[in-house]
Amino acid sequence: MTQPFLSLLGDIPTVTDPAIVRRKSRDFYWYSPLLKTLLDGLHADCLVVPRDEADVLAVARAARQTSTYLTARGGGTGNYGQAVPLHGGAVVDMSALDRILWVRDGVVRVQAGMNMLAMDRALREQGYELRMFPSTKRTATIGGFIAGGSGGIGSLVWGGLRNIGNVLGARVVTLEAEPRAVELRGEETRAINHAYGTTGLITELELPVAPFTDWQDLAFSFPTLAMAARFARTLAMQNGIDRKLVSLSDGGLLAYFAPLRDMAPAGHSVVIAMIAPSGLEATRALADAHGGALAYHASTREAEDDPGRIPLYELTWNHTTLQVLKKDRTYTYLQAAFPPRDTLALVEEMARLLPDEMMTHLEFMPMDGEISCAGLPVIRFTSTERLKEIIALYEQNGILIANPHVYTIEDGGTHRVVSPALAADKWRFDPAGLLNPGKMRSFAQG
C-alpha cells in the first residue's frame, strides 16, 4: 500500500519490519481503558526517519503525491493516542533532528526531535535550563512536548504551554499542494501548539530559557490531606521562594512511590517540591509551621543523571499515574482544573465524595491570575458509565474536566467545542487532511 510513497524517498531511512512499525505506532494511550479498547491494534504501514529538514520536505512531497497519511512521532510519551495512526500510512520519527542550533539572550533555537534531557544538559553548559518540561523529560522530545503536551514541571511559574511567551517561534513543513517550510512567530504558533501534529511537521522551535538553577528535590509528609493541601497552596504562592514545582499526593499514593514510601509514615499525604538552594531554609520553616515533616532531600540534577535513581518530578504530573499503573492496571486518571476560589474546600469535598474510588493528586499553578491547581486524580476504573458519573460529579462542583479518555484535540479540552480557528490552520497547511487524520474534529466538521 505504501510502496509508491516509499519509492519516492530516495536514501531517507525507512523501516517496514512489522514489529518495529507496530512499536513505533504506540504511545501511552493505555493509561485509559477506553482508549486501549479503541486504539489497540492500530498501526502505521511503515516508518520513515528524516535526518534533516530537507528530508522532511521530501517526505511531505511524497505523501502529497501519493495521498499517504503521516503521523509525526517524538519520544512516544503522549497519553491520548496523539502518535497512534488511526488510518495507517507512515509514522514520521523526528528524533534524528536532535541539535540545538543557537542560544542567545535567554532564547534557544532547537530542532524538534531533540530529547529534552539532552537539551537541558546542553543548555546547562551555557548557563541555562528549560523553563518547563514534562515528567517524561528523560524520554520525551521537545517537539512532542509542544505538539502533544499542555504543561508540566515549571508551570507553577510559567503557566501552560499555550500561555503567551512560552513558544516564540516554530518552523513547520506543510502538506500544501507544494509542501514548504514556513516560519511561525508569536501568536501564529497556536497552529502547532497542542495540535497533535495535525497542522504541520515541526522541524524547529524557538523557546525562552531560564538561568540554570541547582534545583533541590524536597518531599514533606503531613498526617492529613487538608494539612498538606494548605501547605502546598501556601508554598505555591510564595514569590519570595524560588520554586519550580509544588505537587501533592494523598496517603493512598505514597505506597506507590518507591523513593518515598519508606521515608514517610504510611498513609501520610506528601508534598513534593523543587526549590532553589536560596529557598531551602524558608521552605522548611513554612512546612514546619504547617505541621509537616521533611521526608526527603536530594539534588534534582544528580538524581536525573543517575539511571538507577528517580528524580522526584517522576512522581508528579502524569508520572504519578504511571507509578500506580506499574503495580495495578485497574486504575486510570482524570485531568481537572480547580477554580482559584474555594480551591482547598473543593479538594476536600471531592475526597469526601469519592473516598474509595479516587486518590487525590494536585499540581499547583496559576489560573486566571491566581494560584490554583490542576488535579490529576487517580481513579479506580469499574465501568465506562461510572467514569462518566465521576466526571459529571467533578463538573457539578465547578471543576472543569479535560477528558483524557478521547483522542480528538477538542474533546480532550476543558470546553469541548469545535474550533473554527483550529480548522482554518488545518485547511491552510494540510488541505488534503493527510496529517494525523481523525484527531481534529473541527476539520472533519468544517
Side-chain angles (χ1 to χ4, degrees):
M1 179 179 176
T2 57
Q3 191 53 47
F5 165 74
L6 293 173
S7 69
L8 296 174
L9 297 183
D11 67 346
I12 297 173
T14 62
V15 178
T16 56
D17 181 284
I20 297 174
V21 172
R22 282 195 297 269
R23 179 165 55 84
K24 292 288 189 176
S25 298
R26 292 175 58 88
D27 58 18
F28 284 78
Y29 66 84
W30 53 265
Y31 276 26
S32 164
L34 279 65
L35 289 181
K36 189 174 190 306
T37 299
L38 291 170
L39 301 180
D40 265 359
L42 298 180
H43 56 81
D45 303 303
C46 65
L47 177 75
V48 296
V49 189
R51 299 155 295 189
D52 53 29
E53 186 177 272
D55 280 0
V56 178
L57 279 162
V59 169
R61 291 189 189 102
R64 188 62 201 255
Q65 290 174 31
T66 59
S67 298
T68 300
Y69 296 131
L70 301 180
T71 302
R73 176 188 173 88
T77 59
N79 301 119
Y80 325 118
Q82 298 103 311
V84 178
L86 300 181
H87 304 290
V91 163
V92 185
D93 183 341
M94 301 294 290
S95 60
L97 280 73
D98 61 356
R99 295 186 297 113
I100 286 179
L101 302 176
W102 52 256
V103 182
R104 55 176 178 262
D105 300 326
V107 176
V108 62
R109 185 82 177 193
V110 60
Q111 291 182 314
M114 191 170 194
N115 170 267
M116 293 190 73
L117 178 57
M119 181 179 172
D120 211 25
R121 285 171 171 163
L123 287 170
R124 190 187 311 160
E125 294 176 1
Q126 300 191 52
Y128 291 104
E129 68 178 26
L130 290 163
R131 294 208 312 191
M132 193 189 312
F133 56 84
S135 60
T136 53
K137 175 184 177 182
R138 293 205 277 189
T139 50
T141 64
I142 185 61
F145 182 43
I146 301 302
S150 57
I153 293 85
S155 286
L156 173 61
V157 178
W158 307 107
L161 280 174
R162 292 183 71 89
N163 285 22
I164 293 173
N166 280 334
V167 180
L168 303 177
R171 191 165 169 87
V172 180
V173 168
T174 73
L175 261 79
E176 298 165 281
E178 179 54 41
R180 60 196 175 108
V182 299
E183 180 77 11
L184 305 178
R185 303 298 306 176
E187 279 294 286
E188 293 177 325
T189 63
R190 74 187 189 286
I192 52 88
N193 200 323
H194 199 68
Y196 297 4
T198 59
T199 53
L201 299 169
I202 307 169
T203 59
E204 296 177 14
L205 288 158
E206 200 169 304
L207 308 164
V209 291
F212 169 74
T213 299
D214 187 17
W215 296 106
Q216 301 294 298
D217 281 352
L218 300 175
F220 298 94
S221 67
F222 294 83
T224 70
L225 173 64
M227 293 171 68
R230 283 194 294 273
F231 166 70
R233 187 169 186 271
T234 302
L235 175 60
M237 295 173 67
Q238 301 309 306
N239 291 334
I241 296 176
D242 193 357
R243 67 265 183 271
K244 195 177 185 80
L245 170 72
V246 175
S247 174
L248 181 153
S249 293
D250 75 15
L253 288 166
L254 177 61
Y256 297 95
F257 292 171
L260 299 181
R261 59 175 170 245
D262 296 327
M263 309 295 287
H268 274 217
S269 293
V270 293
V271 175
I272 292 170
M274 285 173 62
I275 304 294
S278 62
L280 292 177
E281 183 178 351
T283 302
R284 289 171 178 162
L286 192 64
D288 184 65
H290 281 76
L294 180 66
Y296 182 96
H297 178 197
S299 162
T300 307
R301 176 177 52 81
E302 290 178 5
E304 75 176 4
D305 285 347
D306 184 342
R309 295 175 63 188
I310 297 177
L312 290 195
Y313 64 71
E314 290 189 357
L315 306 180
T316 72
W317 287 85
N318 247 330
H319 253 73
T320 305
T321 310
L322 179 60
Q323 302 303 337
V324 176
L325 291 176
K326 285 177 180 178
K327 296 181 177 294
D328 191 341
R329 290 289 185 94
T330 66
Y331 281 98
T332 186
Y333 74 114
L334 290 174
Q335 297 176 149
F338 282 77
R341 302 296 172 86
D342 301 320
T343 306
L344 299 186
L346 285 171
V347 167
E348 292 186 53
E349 178 66 3
M350 296 312 299
R352 184 189 70 80
L353 291 172
L354 299 165
D356 302 317
E357 296 176 276
M358 186 268 290
M359 291 184 282
T360 299
H361 167 209
L362 306 171
E363 301 292 342
F364 286 81
M365 61 187 294
M367 294 183 186
D368 298 326
E370 301 181 62
I371 288 293
S372 185
C373 53
L376 290 94
V378 179
I379 306 288
R380 183 171 295 279
F381 180 77
T382 53
S383 69
T384 301
E385 291 71 25
R386 180 54 184 160
L387 186 61
K388 290 179 180 178
E389 290 173 357
I390 293 172
I391 291 173
L393 188 62
Y394 269 88
E395 296 193 327
Q396 288 163 13
N397 280 274
I399 304 163
L400 294 176
I401 293 293
N403 191 352
H405 302 282
V406 293
Y407 57 71
T408 58
I409 299 166
E410 301 87 348
D411 294 305
T414 53
H415 301 292
R416 297 183 284 280
V417 295
V418 171
S419 169
L422 191 62
D425 290 330
K426 177 76 167 175
W427 280 108
R428 177 185 172 194
F429 294 130
D430 180 29
L434 298 178
L435 287 169
N436 211 355
K439 304 292 175 63
M440 185 190 293
R441 186 160 56 88
S442 296
F443 179 76
Q445 297 180 8

